[in-house]
Amino acid sequence: MYISARADYALRAMLAVADAAGASGDGVLGGGELVKAASLAESQDIPLSFLQGILLDLRRAGLLHSHRGTEGGYALARPPDETSVGDVLRAVGGALTSVRGLPVDRTGYHGVATGLRDVWLAVDGAIALVVDRTTLADLLADRTSAP
């Protein structure tokens, strides 16, 4: 599995928004403030112009809410414990694994290579198991429990 800069940045941005939500878990700072794209870019060292496209994808996927205006910004659309790493990866990159640019379930082989499809499906399933089981809340808890 290849993790693109886009996927890495998307996860870092989502974690920053989730962390800003604090104990409330709703993605909104201090019960009303929103996280601005510029502050996300600065805190996570992500180019702002690149981050804006990522935030748009996350909003379209229903993972973030955005609010316009000088007091605007971004908030999680659902609690961190209900947002998986897999949700974020799929929002910005589509299928978790691919073979020659196609989703694994659309690959086909014949002859001696027939068994490859089953291998790729198993790899895809194993990856999905890990990323779909790991939530933003899990990652934030791991950080706070580290020595």
Side-chain angles (χ1 to χ4, degrees):
M1 175 179 187
Y2 172 75
I3 307 297
S4 67
R6 185 175 188 78
D8 182 58
Y9 289 165
L11 282 163
R12 289 165 44 193
M14 289 291 288
L15 285 167
V17 173
D19 186 53
S24 69
D26 63 3
V28 179
L29 283 171
E33 287 185 52
L34 301 164
V35 182
K36 297 188 181 307
S39 68
L40 283 174
E42 183 178 332
S43 71
Q44 293 302 308
D45 197 25
I46 301 170
L48 179 59
S49 59
F50 194 41
L51 178 61
Q52 288 172 328
I54 292 167
L55 294 171
L56 180 61
D57 286 345
L58 294 169
R59 187 179 59 77
R60 285 181 178 156
L63 299 178
L64 287 177
H65 289 298
S66 66
H67 302 275
R68 293 178 171 252
T70 58
E71 301 301 315
Y74 292 88
L76 295 179
R78 55 187 193 227
D81 64 347
E82 294 178 17
T83 304
S84 74
V85 170
D87 294 334
V88 177
L89 293 176
R90 288 181 189 94
V92 298
L96 295 175
T97 50
S98 64
V99 177
R100 298 179 320 274
L102 293 173
V104 174
D105 61 352
R106 292 185 43 206
T107 60
Y109 297 92
H110 60 280
V112 297
T114 301
L116 281 177
R117 184 173 194 270
D118 294 335
V119 172
W120 303 147
L121 287 169
V123 167
D124 186 57
I127 291 169
L129 183 66
V130 172
V131 299
D132 289 338
R133 186 174 46 187
T134 306
T135 67
L136 299 179
D138 295 332
L139 294 172
L140 292 172
D142 288 347
R143 177 201 56 161
T144 58
S145 65

PDB file of all heavy atoms in Angstrom, residues 34-67:
ATOM      1  N   LEU A  34     -14.021  27.544  15.161  1.00  0.00           N
ATOM      2  CA  LEU A  34     -13.719  26.597  14.097  1.00  0.00           C
ATOM      3  C   LEU A  34     -12.232  26.647  13.792  1.00  0.00           C
ATOM      4  O   LEU A  34     -11.569  27.640  14.061  1.00  0.00           O
ATOM      5  CB  LEU A  34     -14.532  26.955  12.849  1.00  0.00           C
ATOM      6  CG  LEU A  34     -16.051  26.947  13.044  1.00  0.00           C
ATOM      7  CD1 LEU A  34     -16.727  27.676  11.902  1.00  0.00           C
ATOM      8  CD2 LEU A  34     -16.549  25.525  13.169  1.00  0.00           C
ATOM      9  N   VAL A  35     -11.702  25.578  13.214  1.00  0.00           N
ATOM     10  CA  VAL A  35     -10.284  25.521  12.868  1.00  0.00           C
ATOM     11  C   VAL A  35     -10.107  26.073  11.461  1.00  0.00           C
ATOM     12  O   VAL A  35     -10.722  25.578  10.510  1.00  0.00           O
ATOM     13  CB  VAL A  35      -9.758  24.074  12.955  1.00  0.00           C
ATOM     14  CG1 VAL A  35      -8.270  24.030  12.648  1.00  0.00           C
ATOM     15  CG2 VAL A  35     -10.046  23.479  14.327  1.00  0.00           C
ATOM     16  N   LYS A  36      -9.289  27.079  11.326  1.00  0.00           N
ATOM     17  CA  LYS A  36      -9.054  27.709  10.028  1.00  0.00           C
ATOM     18  C   LYS A  36      -8.040  26.918   9.214  1.00  0.00           C
ATOM     19  O   LYS A  36      -7.110  26.327   9.766  1.00  0.00           O
ATOM     20  CB  LYS A  36      -8.570  29.132  10.223  1.00  0.00           C
ATOM     21  CG  LYS A  36      -9.615  30.010  10.909  1.00  0.00           C
ATOM     22  CD  LYS A  36      -9.197  31.446  10.920  1.00  0.00           C
ATOM     23  CE  LYS A  36     -10.200  32.331  11.606  1.00  0.00           C
ATOM     24  NZ  LYS A  36     -11.549  32.238  11.140  1.00  0.00           N
ATOM     25  N   ALA A  37      -8.221  26.920   7.908  1.00  0.00           N
ATOM     26  CA  ALA A  37      -7.306  26.206   7.014  1.00  0.00           C
ATOM     27  C   ALA A  37      -5.874  26.689   7.187  1.00  0.00           C
ATOM     28  O   ALA A  37      -4.943  25.883   7.212  1.00  0.00           O
ATOM     29  CB  ALA A  37      -7.756  26.360   5.558  1.00  0.00           C
ATOM     30  N   ALA A  38      -5.687  27.981   7.327  1.00  0.00           N
ATOM     31  CA  ALA A  38      -4.338  28.531   7.474  1.00  0.00           C
ATOM     32  C   ALA A  38      -3.663  28.017   8.737  1.00  0.00           C
ATOM     33  O   ALA A  38      -2.469  27.709   8.730  1.00  0.00           O
ATOM     34  CB  ALA A  38      -4.377  30.056   7.470  1.00  0.00           C
ATOM     35  N   SER A  39      -4.417  27.897   9.828  1.00  0.00           N
ATOM     36  CA  SER A  39      -3.801  27.390  11.060  1.00  0.00           C
ATOM     37  C   SER A  39      -3.516  25.895  10.951  1.00  0.00           C
ATOM     38  O   SER A  39      -2.508  25.418  11.480  1.00  0.00           O
ATOM     39  CB  SER A  39      -4.663  27.699  12.283  1.00  0.00           C
ATOM     40  OG  SER A  39      -5.864  26.976  12.271  1.00  0.00           O
ATOM     41  N   LEU A  40      -4.362  25.155  10.251  1.00  0.00           N
ATOM     42  CA  LEU A  40      -4.077  23.736  10.000  1.00  0.00           C
ATOM     43  C   LEU A  40      -2.805  23.592   9.179  1.00  0.00           C
ATOM     44  O   LEU A  40      -1.946  22.763   9.487  1.00  0.00           O
ATOM     45  CB  LEU A  40      -5.232  23.071   9.240  1.00  0.00           C
ATOM     46  CG  LEU A  40      -6.477  22.706  10.018  1.00  0.00           C
ATOM     47  CD1 LEU A  40      -7.558  22.208   9.058  1.00  0.00           C
ATOM     48  CD2 LEU A  40      -6.178  21.684  11.078  1.00  0.00           C
ATOM     49  N   ALA A  41      -2.708  24.394   8.128  1.00  0.00           N
ATOM     50  CA  ALA A  41      -1.528  24.332   7.255  1.00  0.00           C
ATOM     51  C   ALA A  41      -0.263  24.637   8.041  1.00  0.00           C
ATOM     52  O   ALA A  41       0.742  23.934   7.920  1.00  0.00           O
ATOM     53  CB  ALA A  41      -1.686  25.298   6.086  1.00  0.00           C
ATOM     54  N   GLU A  42      -0.325  25.664   8.868  1.00  0.00           N
ATOM     55  CA  GLU A  42       0.857  26.061   9.639  1.00  0.00           C
ATOM     56  C   GLU A  42       1.212  25.012  10.690  1.00  0.00           C
ATOM     57  O   GLU A  42       2.367  24.610  10.812  1.00  0.00           O
ATOM     58  CB  GLU A  42       0.616  27.405  10.306  1.00  0.00           C
ATOM     59  CG  GLU A  42       1.823  27.909  11.057  1.00  0.00           C
ATOM     60  CD  GLU A  42       1.592  29.274  11.687  1.00  0.00           C
ATOM     61  OE1 GLU A  42       0.766  30.051  11.154  1.00  0.00           O
ATOM     62  OE2 GLU A  42       2.234  29.545  12.705  1.00  0.00           O
ATOM     63  N   SER A  43       0.218  24.539  11.439  1.00  0.00           N
ATOM     64  CA  SER A  43       0.511  23.603  12.528  1.00  0.00           C
ATOM     65  C   SER A  43       0.994  22.244  12.022  1.00  0.00           C
ATOM     66  O   SER A  43       1.754  21.563  12.702  1.00  0.00           O
ATOM     67  CB  SER A  43      -0.718  23.411  13.422  1.00  0.00           C
ATOM     68  OG  SER A  43      -1.720  22.665  12.756  1.00  0.00           O
ATOM     69  N   GLN A  44       0.563  21.854  10.820  1.00  0.00           N
ATOM     70  CA  GLN A  44       0.940  20.547  10.288  1.00  0.00           C
ATOM     71  C   GLN A  44       1.984  20.642   9.173  1.00  0.00           C
ATOM     72  O   GLN A  44       2.321  19.636   8.568  1.00  0.00           O
ATOM     73  CB  GLN A  44      -0.304  19.811   9.780  1.00  0.00           C
ATOM     74  CG  GLN A  44      -1.263  19.425  10.892  1.00  0.00           C
ATOM     75  CD  GLN A  44      -0.596  18.553  11.921  1.00  0.00           C
ATOM     76  OE1 GLN A  44       0.016  17.541  11.591  1.00  0.00           O
ATOM     77  NE2 GLN A  44      -0.687  18.946  13.184  1.00  0.00           N
ATOM     78  N   ASP A  45       2.460  21.849   8.895  1.00  0.00           N
ATOM     79  CA  ASP A  45       3.478  22.065   7.865  1.00  0.00           C
ATOM     80  C   ASP A  45       3.033  21.492   6.514  1.00  0.00           C
ATOM     81  O   ASP A  45       3.728  20.696   5.882  1.00  0.00           O
ATOM     82  CB  ASP A  45       4.818  21.464   8.304  1.00  0.00           C
ATOM     83  CG  ASP A  45       5.985  22.002   7.487  1.00  0.00           C
ATOM     84  OD1 ASP A  45       5.874  23.117   6.945  1.00  0.00           O
ATOM     85  OD2 ASP A  45       7.002  21.284   7.368  1.00  0.00           O
ATOM     86  N   ILE A  46       1.829  21.910   6.108  1.00  0.00           N
ATOM     87  CA  ILE A  46       1.228  21.484   4.838  1.00  0.00           C
ATOM     88  C   ILE A  46       1.046  22.733   3.980  1.00  0.00           C
ATOM     89  O   ILE A  46       0.530  23.745   4.467  1.00  0.00           O
ATOM     90  CB  ILE A  46      -0.153  20.818   5.070  1.00  0.00           C
ATOM     91  CG1 ILE A  46      -0.025  19.608   5.992  1.00  0.00           C
ATOM     92  CG2 ILE A  46      -0.799  20.425   3.744  1.00  0.00           C
ATOM     93  CD1 ILE A  46      -1.368  19.049   6.461  1.00  0.00           C
ATOM     94  N   PRO A  47       1.441  22.694   2.721  1.00  0.00           N
ATOM     95  CA  PRO A  47       1.207  23.855   1.847  1.00  0.00           C
ATOM     96  C   PRO A  47      -0.295  24.194   1.803  1.00  0.00           C
ATOM     97  O   PRO A  47      -1.127  23.316   1.528  1.00  0.00           O
ATOM     98  CB  PRO A  47       1.706  23.401   0.480  1.00  0.00           C
ATOM     99  CG  PRO A  47       2.660  22.277   0.773  1.00  0.00           C
ATOM    100  CD  PRO A  47       2.140  21.613   2.007  1.00  0.00           C
ATOM    101  N   LEU A  48      -0.627  25.435   2.084  1.00  0.00           N
ATOM    102  CA  LEU A  48      -2.030  25.846   2.185  1.00  0.00           C
ATOM    103  C   LEU A  48      -2.809  25.560   0.908  1.00  0.00           C
ATOM    104  O   LEU A  48      -3.934  25.056   0.961  1.00  0.00           O
ATOM    105  CB  LEU A  48      -2.136  27.327   2.559  1.00  0.00           C
ATOM    106  CG  LEU A  48      -3.548  27.886   2.685  1.00  0.00           C
ATOM    107  CD1 LEU A  48      -4.359  27.130   3.735  1.00  0.00           C
ATOM    108  CD2 LEU A  48      -3.501  29.375   3.024  1.00  0.00           C
ATOM    109  N   SER A  49      -2.239  25.852  -0.251  1.00  0.00           N
ATOM    110  CA  SER A  49      -2.979  25.636  -1.500  1.00  0.00           C
ATOM    111  C   SER A  49      -3.290  24.150  -1.704  1.00  0.00           C
ATOM    112  O   SER A  49      -4.365  23.792  -2.197  1.00  0.00           O
ATOM    113  CB  SER A  49      -2.191  26.186  -2.688  1.00  0.00           C
ATOM    114  OG  SER A  49      -0.932  25.548  -2.782  1.00  0.00           O
ATOM    115  N   PHE A  50      -2.378  23.279  -1.304  1.00  0.00           N
ATOM    116  CA  PHE A  50      -2.599  21.828  -1.403  1.00  0.00           C
ATOM    117  C   PHE A  50      -3.648  21.388  -0.380  1.00  0.00           C
ATOM    118  O   PHE A  50      -4.546  20.603  -0.680  1.00  0.00           O
ATOM    119  CB  PHE A  50      -1.273  21.104  -1.189  1.00  0.00           C
ATOM    120  CG  PHE A  50      -1.255  19.655  -1.579  1.00  0.00           C
ATOM    121  CD1 PHE A  50      -1.880  19.196  -2.722  1.00  0.00           C
ATOM    122  CD2 PHE A  50      -0.579  18.732  -0.794  1.00  0.00           C
ATOM    123  CE1 PHE A  50      -1.837  17.861  -3.089  1.00  0.00           C
ATOM    124  CE2 PHE A  50      -0.534  17.393  -1.144  1.00  0.00           C
ATOM    125  CZ  PHE A  50      -1.162  16.956  -2.286  1.00  0.00           C
ATOM    126  N   LEU A  51      -3.565  21.945   0.822  1.00  0.00           N
ATOM    127  CA  LEU A  51      -4.500  21.588   1.890  1.00  0.00           C
ATOM    128  C   LEU A  51      -5.928  21.979   1.534  1.00  0.00           C
ATOM    129  O   LEU A  51      -6.865  21.245   1.849  1.00  0.00           O
ATOM    130  CB  LEU A  51      -4.078  22.260   3.202  1.00  0.00           C
ATOM    131  CG  LEU A  51      -4.981  22.011   4.397  1.00  0.00           C
ATOM    132  CD1 LEU A  51      -5.049  20.530   4.734  1.00  0.00           C
ATOM    133  CD2 LEU A  51      -4.518  22.835   5.588  1.00  0.00           C
ATOM    134  N   GLN A  52      -6.109  23.095   0.873  1.00  0.00           N
ATOM    135  CA  GLN A  52      -7.464  23.536   0.540  1.00  0.00           C
ATOM    136  C   GLN A  52      -8.198  22.516  -0.332  1.00  0.00           C
ATOM    137  O   GLN A  52      -9.385  22.272  -0.130  1.00  0.00           O
ATOM    138  CB  GLN A  52      -7.425  24.916  -0.103  1.00  0.00           C
ATOM    139  CG  GLN A  52      -7.077  25.982   0.925  1.00  0.00           C
ATOM    140  CD  GLN A  52      -6.827  27.347   0.330  1.00  0.00           C
ATOM    141  OE1 GLN A  52      -6.339  27.482  -0.786  1.00  0.00           O
ATOM    142  NE2 GLN A  52      -7.141  28.377   1.097  1.00  0.00           N
ATOM    143  N   GLY A  53      -7.498  21.912  -1.285  1.00  0.00           N
ATOM    144  CA  GLY A  53      -8.111  20.864  -2.099  1.00  0.00           C
ATOM    145  C   GLY A  53      -8.457  19.634  -1.282  1.00  0.00           C
ATOM    146  O   GLY A  53      -9.497  18.997  -1.484  1.00  0.00           O
ATOM    147  N   ILE A  54      -7.591  19.296  -0.349  1.00  0.00           N
ATOM    148  CA  ILE A  54      -7.830  18.148   0.526  1.00  0.00           C
ATOM    149  C   ILE A  54      -9.047  18.406   1.409  1.00  0.00           C
ATOM    150  O   ILE A  54      -9.914  17.538   1.558  1.00  0.00           O
ATOM    151  CB  ILE A  54      -6.573  17.866   1.383  1.00  0.00           C
ATOM    152  CG1 ILE A  54      -5.437  17.362   0.493  1.00  0.00           C
ATOM    153  CG2 ILE A  54      -6.882  16.878   2.500  1.00  0.00           C
ATOM    154  CD1 ILE A  54      -4.081  17.343   1.170  1.00  0.00           C
ATOM    155  N   LEU A  55      -9.130  19.594   1.975  1.00  0.00           N
ATOM    156  CA  LEU A  55     -10.264  19.937   2.824  1.00  0.00           C
ATOM    157  C   LEU A  55     -11.572  19.891   2.044  1.00  0.00           C
ATOM    158  O   LEU A  55     -12.603  19.454   2.570  1.00  0.00           O
ATOM    159  CB  LEU A  55     -10.054  21.312   3.461  1.00  0.00           C
ATOM    160  CG  LEU A  55      -8.898  21.408   4.462  1.00  0.00           C
ATOM    161  CD1 LEU A  55      -8.657  22.858   4.862  1.00  0.00           C
ATOM    162  CD2 LEU A  55      -9.126  20.532   5.669  1.00  0.00           C
ATOM    163  N   LEU A  56     -11.540  20.289   0.802  1.00  0.00           N
ATOM    164  CA  LEU A  56     -12.717  20.213  -0.047  1.00  0.00           C
ATOM    165  C   LEU A  56     -13.156  18.759  -0.233  1.00  0.00           C
ATOM    166  O   LEU A  56     -14.339  18.429  -0.114  1.00  0.00           O
ATOM    167  CB  LEU A  56     -12.445  20.869  -1.407  1.00  0.00           C
ATOM    168  CG  LEU A  56     -13.596  20.860  -2.408  1.00  0.00           C
ATOM    169  CD1 LEU A  56     -14.793  21.618  -1.880  1.00  0.00           C
ATOM    170  CD2 LEU A  56     -13.130  21.447  -3.731  1.00  0.00           C
ATOM    171  N   ASP A  57     -12.205  17.867  -0.494  1.00  0.00           N
ATOM    172  CA  ASP A  57     -12.527  16.445  -0.631  1.00  0.00           C
ATOM    173  C   ASP A  57     -13.111  15.878   0.665  1.00  0.00           C
ATOM    174  O   ASP A  57     -14.064  15.090   0.636  1.00  0.00           O
ATOM    175  CB  ASP A  57     -11.282  15.633  -1.011  1.00  0.00           C
ATOM    176  CG  ASP A  57     -10.862  15.817  -2.452  1.00  0.00           C
ATOM    177  OD1 ASP A  57     -11.667  16.337  -3.265  1.00  0.00           O
ATOM    178  OD2 ASP A  57      -9.717  15.435  -2.781  1.00  0.00           O
ATOM    179  N   LEU A  58     -12.545  16.263   1.795  1.00  0.00           N
ATOM    180  CA  LEU A  58     -13.029  15.779   3.089  1.00  0.00           C
ATOM    181  C   LEU A  58     -14.439  16.305   3.371  1.00  0.00           C
ATOM    182  O   LEU A  58     -15.274  15.589   3.937  1.00  0.00           O
ATOM    183  CB  LEU A  58     -12.064  16.177   4.199  1.00  0.00           C
ATOM    184  CG  LEU A  58     -10.679  15.519   4.130  1.00  0.00           C
ATOM    185  CD1 LEU A  58      -9.716  16.182   5.109  1.00  0.00           C
ATOM    186  CD2 LEU A  58     -10.777  14.016   4.376  1.00  0.00           C
ATOM    187  N   ARG A  59     -14.702  17.532   2.971  1.00  0.00           N
ATOM    188  CA  ARG A  59     -16.048  18.099   3.135  1.00  0.00           C
ATOM    189  C   ARG A  59     -17.043  17.379   2.239  1.00  0.00           C
ATOM    190  O   ARG A  59     -18.129  16.995   2.670  1.00  0.00           O
ATOM    191  CB  ARG A  59     -16.027  19.596   2.832  1.00  0.00           C
ATOM    192  CG  ARG A  59     -17.355  20.282   3.144  1.00  0.00           C
ATOM    193  CD  ARG A  59     -17.306  21.767   2.858  1.00  0.00           C
ATOM    194  NE  ARG A  59     -16.993  22.089   1.480  1.00  0.00           N
ATOM    195  CZ  ARG A  59     -17.845  22.002   0.455  1.00  0.00           C
ATOM    196  NH1 ARG A  59     -19.075  21.601   0.653  1.00  0.00           N
ATOM    197  NH2 ARG A  59     -17.470  22.341  -0.759  1.00  0.00           N
ATOM    198  N   ARG A  60     -16.662  17.155   0.983  1.00  0.00           N
ATOM    199  CA  ARG A  60     -17.548  16.458   0.044  1.00  0.00           C
ATOM    200  C   ARG A  60     -17.849  15.029   0.487  1.00  0.00           C
ATOM    201  O   ARG A  60     -18.909  14.503   0.206  1.00  0.00           O
ATOM    202  CB  ARG A  60     -16.922  16.437  -1.351  1.00  0.00           C
ATOM    203  CG  ARG A  60     -16.995  17.761  -2.050  1.00  0.00           C
ATOM    204  CD  ARG A  60     -16.377  17.685  -3.423  1.00  0.00           C
ATOM    205  NE  ARG A  60     -16.487  18.955  -4.115  1.00  0.00           N
ATOM    206  CZ  ARG A  60     -15.697  19.341  -5.081  1.00  0.00           C
ATOM    207  NH1 ARG A  60     -14.720  18.562  -5.521  1.00  0.00           N
ATOM    208  NH2 ARG A  60     -15.865  20.520  -5.658  1.00  0.00           N
ATOM    209  N   ALA A  61     -16.893  14.415   1.180  1.00  0.00           N
ATOM    210  CA  ALA A  61     -17.087  13.047   1.674  1.00  0.00           C
ATOM    211  C   ALA A  61     -17.902  13.011   2.969  1.00  0.00           C
ATOM    212  O   ALA A  61     -18.185  11.939   3.497  1.00  0.00           O
ATOM    213  CB  ALA A  61     -15.728  12.384   1.895  1.00  0.00           C
ATOM    214  N   GLY A  62     -18.263  14.175   3.476  1.00  0.00           N
ATOM    215  CA  GLY A  62     -19.063  14.239   4.690  1.00  0.00           C
ATOM    216  C   GLY A  62     -18.268  14.057   5.976  1.00  0.00           C
ATOM    217  O   GLY A  62     -18.840  13.765   7.022  1.00  0.00           O
ATOM    218  N   LEU A  63     -16.955  14.264   5.903  1.00  0.00           N
ATOM    219  CA  LEU A  63     -16.117  14.113   7.093  1.00  0.00           C
ATOM    220  C   LEU A  63     -15.883  15.429   7.825  1.00  0.00           C
ATOM    221  O   LEU A  63     -15.577  15.436   9.009  1.00  0.00           O
ATOM    222  CB  LEU A  63     -14.773  13.480   6.715  1.00  0.00           C
ATOM    223  CG  LEU A  63     -14.871  12.083   6.105  1.00  0.00           C
ATOM    224  CD1 LEU A  63     -13.489  11.579   5.716  1.00  0.00           C
ATOM    225  CD2 LEU A  63     -15.557  11.117   7.051  1.00  0.00           C
ATOM    226  N   LEU A  64     -16.002  16.537   7.106  1.00  0.00           N
ATOM    227  CA  LEU A  64     -15.831  17.868   7.686  1.00  0.00           C
ATOM    228  C   LEU A  64     -17.022  18.739   7.329  1.00  0.00           C
ATOM    229  O   LEU A  64     -17.645  18.550   6.279  1.00  0.00           O
ATOM    230  CB  LEU A  64     -14.577  18.558   7.136  1.00  0.00           C
ATOM    231  CG  LEU A  64     -13.210  18.092   7.590  1.00  0.00           C
ATOM    232  CD1 LEU A  64     -12.121  18.882   6.858  1.00  0.00           C
ATOM    233  CD2 LEU A  64     -13.047  18.219   9.084  1.00  0.00           C
ATOM    234  N   HIS A  65     -17.291  19.698   8.195  1.00  0.00           N
ATOM    235  CA  HIS A  65     -18.218  20.792   7.901  1.00  0.00           C
ATOM    236  C   HIS A  65     -17.364  22.035   7.725  1.00  0.00           C
ATOM    237  O   HIS A  65     -16.373  22.209   8.439  1.00  0.00           O
ATOM    238  CB  HIS A  65     -19.189  21.049   9.057  1.00  0.00           C
ATOM    239  CG  HIS A  65     -20.221  20.000   9.246  1.00  0.00           C
ATOM    240  ND1 HIS A  65     -21.162  19.676   8.302  1.00  0.00           N
ATOM    241  CD2 HIS A  65     -20.469  19.191  10.304  1.00  0.00           C
ATOM    242  CE1 HIS A  65     -21.941  18.725   8.760  1.00  0.00           C
ATOM    243  NE2 HIS A  65     -21.536  18.403   9.970  1.00  0.00           N
ATOM    244  N   SER A  66     -17.750  22.882   6.802  1.00  0.00           N
ATOM    245  CA  SER A  66     -17.030  24.148   6.664  1.00  0.00           C
ATOM    246  C   SER A  66     -18.011  25.296   6.854  1.00  0.00           C
ATOM    247  O   SER A  66     -19.196  25.175   6.547  1.00  0.00           O
ATOM    248  CB  SER A  66     -16.357  24.253   5.292  1.00  0.00           C
ATOM    249  OG  SER A  66     -17.321  24.318   4.269  1.00  0.00           O
ATOM    250  N   HIS A  67     -17.473  26.382   7.390  1.00  0.00           N
ATOM    251  CA  HIS A  67     -18.268  27.582   7.615  1.00  0.00           C
ATOM    252  C   HIS A  67     -17.481  28.751   7.048  1.00  0.00           C
ATOM    253  O   HIS A  67     -16.308  28.914   7.341  1.00  0.00           O
ATOM    254  CB  HIS A  67     -18.540  27.770   9.113  1.00  0.00           C
ATOM    255  CG  HIS A  67     -19.249  26.603   9.721  1.00  0.00           C
ATOM    256  ND1 HIS A  67     -20.609  26.465   9.696  1.00  0.00           N
ATOM    257  CD2 HIS A  67     -18.766  25.502  10.342  1.00  0.00           C
ATOM    258  CE1 HIS A  67     -20.943  25.320  10.288  1.00  0.00           C
ATOM    259  NE2 HIS A  67     -19.837  24.714  10.684  1.00  0.00           N
TER     260      HIS A  67
END
